[in-house]
Amino acid sequence: MEIQERAGERTLSLVFSGEMDHHGIRDALRRVELAVDAALPRTLTLDFGGVTFMDSSGIALILRAQQRMQSLEGGMILCNVPQQAKRVLEAAGINRLVTIKS
Amino acid sequence: MKKTPVNEVKLKFPSRSSNEGFARGTVACFAAQMDPTLSELEDIKTAVSEAVTNAILHAYPDTIGTVSLKIRILQENLLEITVRDRGRGIADVEQARQPMFTTGGEGRSGMGFTIMESFMDSVSVRSTPERGTTVVMKKRLSEKSRKRA
């Protein structure tokens, strides 16, 4: 799992690519936190455009990032979510808790 | 009445997290002969990923154990996937199946069983503490003739 960071004026985009399973997110959770803490963004964008597979491990990552942004009183957007990952989010009802931009 | 499988494969692998991708990829390859739709294939891969991750993470939290995977194609385009471990077992299966319940800490969402249930037609879980857990998932794939219609 690769993560590219794009920091702007109080915004941070994290662009994910690869397979987002338990194996894939082992380091990703920590790296998301470090990136958010360094940038202190108002808005965090998680770009899932390059995610080739996602299971419930991705849900843990999304909810974790969302909690972090809530503690900073900022917002979070999920974008470019592939069909397979979208269906996982819907099955878990996470699409109601998170802002997903198509 | 027991149905004779049309085709089946059994494999065992150590509970290393790098085998999660291997397991779901293997099931997808084997199921390809059933001529599944892309979304059926994705459903199957996701459910297998959840079941195998549970075995790797929860059955053998501190050791490397063996995970068994059995894939059977039964009559009428029915796919049956069995994931078995000889690990720690689940004390309360009902509780474990509840959405958001997890013993896995911050990296887990507690949605694994919910996703398996949502993507497969049936999911059964048998578990004995200290003896292990068996998860059997079934999904009937759409018939080829209907897909082409």
Side-chain angles (χ1 to χ4, degrees):
Chain A
M1 168 120 276
E2 296 280 318
I3 308 173
Q4 275 183 16
E5 294 177 33
R6 291 180 198 149
E9 188 68 30
R10 307 291 318 262
T11 64
L12 175 66
S13 281
L14 297 175
V15 184
F16 295 82
S17 53
E19 304 218 300
M20 197 178 268
D21 61 4
H22 154 246
H23 183 70
I25 69 151
R26 282 184 311 175
D27 303 324
L29 286 171
R30 182 96 190 103
R31 282 170 58 200
V32 169
E33 277 185 9
L34 287 173
V36 168
D37 289 356
L40 296 175
R42 272 190 212 288
T43 308
L44 171 67
T45 304
L46 302 182
D47 185 333
F48 276 31
V51 174
T52 50
F53 173 83
M54 188 191 94
D55 66 13
S56 67
S57 310
I59 295 172
L61 184 139
I62 292 165
L63 293 180
R64 199 60 195 288
Q66 172 127 310
Q67 276 172 10
R68 201 73 172 185
M69 287 312 298
Q70 278 166 352
S71 72
L72 294 173
E73 295 179 349
M76 192 184 85
I77 299 167
L78 213 57
C79 74
N80 295 326
V81 184
Q83 201 55 35
Q84 183 269 337
K86 199 172 273 178
R87 291 182 39 243
V88 171
L89 295 177
E90 285 166 3
I94 304 302
N95 53 319
R96 295 193 299 265
L97 307 177
V98 180
T99 308
I100 302 175
K101 208 173 74 179
S102 54
Chain B
M1 191 182 75
K2 282 248 171 189
K3 282 182 179 166
T4 321
V6 177
N7 200 358
E8 70 176 330
V9 65
K10 293 176 187 174
L11 59 137
K12 290 177 190 234
F13 52 86
S15 59
R16 298 187 190 283
S17 64
S18 54
N19 284 328
E20 292 157 9
F22 163 75
R24 63 176 178 264
T26 302
V27 174
C29 279
F30 191 72
Q33 63 195 283
M34 302 171 80
D35 197 15
T37 64
L38 181 60
S39 85
E40 283 171 338
L41 212 49
E42 286 175 348
D43 289 359
I44 294 160
K45 281 176 74 174
T46 311
V48 169
S49 195
E50 299 296 348
V52 169
T53 300
N54 276 350
I56 287 171
L57 203 63
H58 299 295
Y60 306 110
D62 311 309
T63 53
I64 297 292
T66 300
V67 181
S68 307
L69 178 64
K70 184 168 76 175
I71 318 160
R72 298 205 301 169
I73 297 170
L74 302 168
Q75 303 292 332
E76 292 165 14
N77 238 20
L78 181 64
L79 179 69
E80 181 194 81
I81 299 159
T82 306
V83 178
R84 172 178 295 177
D85 65 69
R86 298 289 182 204
R88 190 172 58 168
I90 303 168
D92 186 339
V93 171
E94 275 307 302
Q95 185 187 39
R97 292 179 75 145
Q98 293 302 310
M100 312 301 267
F101 177 84
T102 184
T103 56
E106 58 189 17
R108 307 306 306 156
S109 65
M111 295 311 288
F113 277 119
T114 303
I115 287 167
M116 287 180 239
E117 286 163 2
S118 162
F119 287 171
M120 302 297 280
D121 295 342
S122 73
V123 178
S124 82
V125 184
R126 274 180 292 131
S127 190
T128 311
E130 307 311 321
R131 295 286 296 278
T133 301
T134 303
V135 176
V136 183
M137 304 184 284
K138 291 182 189 170
K139 187 178 184 71
R140 194 176 301 282
L141 306 193
S142 54
E143 292 296 332
K144 288 176 192 175
S145 54
R146 268 181 46 203
K147 270 176 240 172
R148 295 204 181 109

